[in-house]
Amino acid sequence: MGMSAAPQFHVLAVDDSLIDRMLIERLLKTSSFHVTTVDSAVKALQYLGLVEDKLRSYHTTSEIHQDVEVNVSLIITDYCMPEMTGYDLLRKIKESNYLKDIPVVIMSSENVPSRINRCLEDGAEEFFLKPVQQSDVNKLKPHLLKSRAKEEEEETQPINNNNKRKSMVESHCPDKTRIKCTI
């Protein structure tokens, strides 16, 4: 078999406005990204395998991870959406043990410095003002490359007896909900 090209980055775009979703999708595809779009933060959580339990309070999320591994490289979300804001989505992603390393970018048509600062302080990689431009999309690649390099570093670290012991101890910590054994 021949060598395949590097895998495309997969971006999950979240916006309640059809026009804005179509614009961001077109800009991302022009930059050779694979794009999945959804029209709400709740649908984004469902797509990512984080399911909002309607019987619990709004602020609690039960993590239900499907058998399929989510392969999202970056999430770009609108700030102002009904039911759940982009900021709330950002917080859910960063609270998840499994998704917290996925870069999140917030976009909004409102230039509110306190909102921008809060999003950046709580883990957003970027905050774009709408309408999003091609120059904004070009700012995404460094975040994606940094994220991919971190993943590759974790995958290629050699395992010796000390690392195995440490890995096993860390995987049984009470704050971790999934046990992952690598040999």
Side-chain angles (χ1 to χ4, degrees):
M1 264 198 248
M3 292 194 56
S4 62
Q8 266 187 325
F9 290 114
H10 181 191
V11 178
L12 176 61
V14 186
D15 201 314
D16 59 319
S17 163
L18 176 61
I19 293 170
D20 287 337
R21 265 195 326 275
M22 289 172 61
L23 172 65
I24 194 69
E25 182 177 19
R26 183 177 57 87
L27 289 170
L28 290 167
K29 284 185 174 181
T30 298
S31 295
S32 300
F33 291 108
H34 171 70
V35 183
T36 300
T37 60
V38 292
D39 63 3
S40 73
V42 172
K43 286 182 182 173
L45 290 173
Q46 290 170 343
Y47 181 81
L48 295 166
L50 289 176
V51 180
E52 187 74 19
D53 187 343
K54 297 293 182 187
L55 299 175
R56 296 181 184 191
S57 72
Y58 177 73
H59 294 290
T60 62
T61 300
S62 60
E63 290 188 271
I64 300 173
H65 292 277
Q66 304 156 342
D67 292 335
V68 200
E69 191 83 20
V70 175
N71 191 19
V72 172
S73 308
L74 181 131
I75 300 163
I76 184 165
T77 181
D78 185 23
Y79 183 90
C80 293
M81 294 184 289
E83 196 172 346
M84 178 184 266
T85 67
Y87 175 75
D88 294 328
L89 176 60
L90 167 71
R91 291 190 56 218
K92 298 284 185 196
I93 299 300
K94 296 306 175 185
E95 289 170 359
S96 166
N97 288 330
Y98 308 105
L99 303 173
K100 66 184 175 190
D101 293 329
I102 297 175
V104 178
V105 173
I106 308 284
M107 54 187 174
S108 178
S109 56
E110 300 172 359
N111 187 359
V112 181
S114 61
R115 176 184 295 169
I116 294 168
N117 289 336
R118 183 174 68 161
C119 289
L120 294 173
E121 287 170 0
D122 286 349
E125 299 295 326
E126 297 278 350
F127 194 105
F128 296 151
L129 291 177
K130 289 182 177 183
V132 175
Q133 308 280 324
Q134 189 63 48
S135 60
D136 294 324
V137 172
N138 294 341
K139 295 176 186 175
L140 298 178
K141 288 206 177 173
H143 299 296
L144 292 164
L145 293 171
K146 181 173 73 173
S147 178
R148 180 174 283 171
K150 185 176 180 183
E151 286 173 11
E152 289 173 357
E153 179 183 310
E154 289 171 358
E155 289 174 3
T156 59
Q157 286 185 354
I159 298 176
N160 60 34
N161 288 336
N162 290 338
N163 285 347
K164 277 186 186 177
R165 170 91 175 131
K166 186 177 179 184
S167 177
M168 293 297 284
V169 170
E170 286 178 352
S171 67
H172 288 66
C173 291
D175 64 328
K176 307 255 182 184
T177 56
R178 184 194 294 179
I179 296 175
K180 182 179 179 182
C181 296
T182 54
I183 297 177

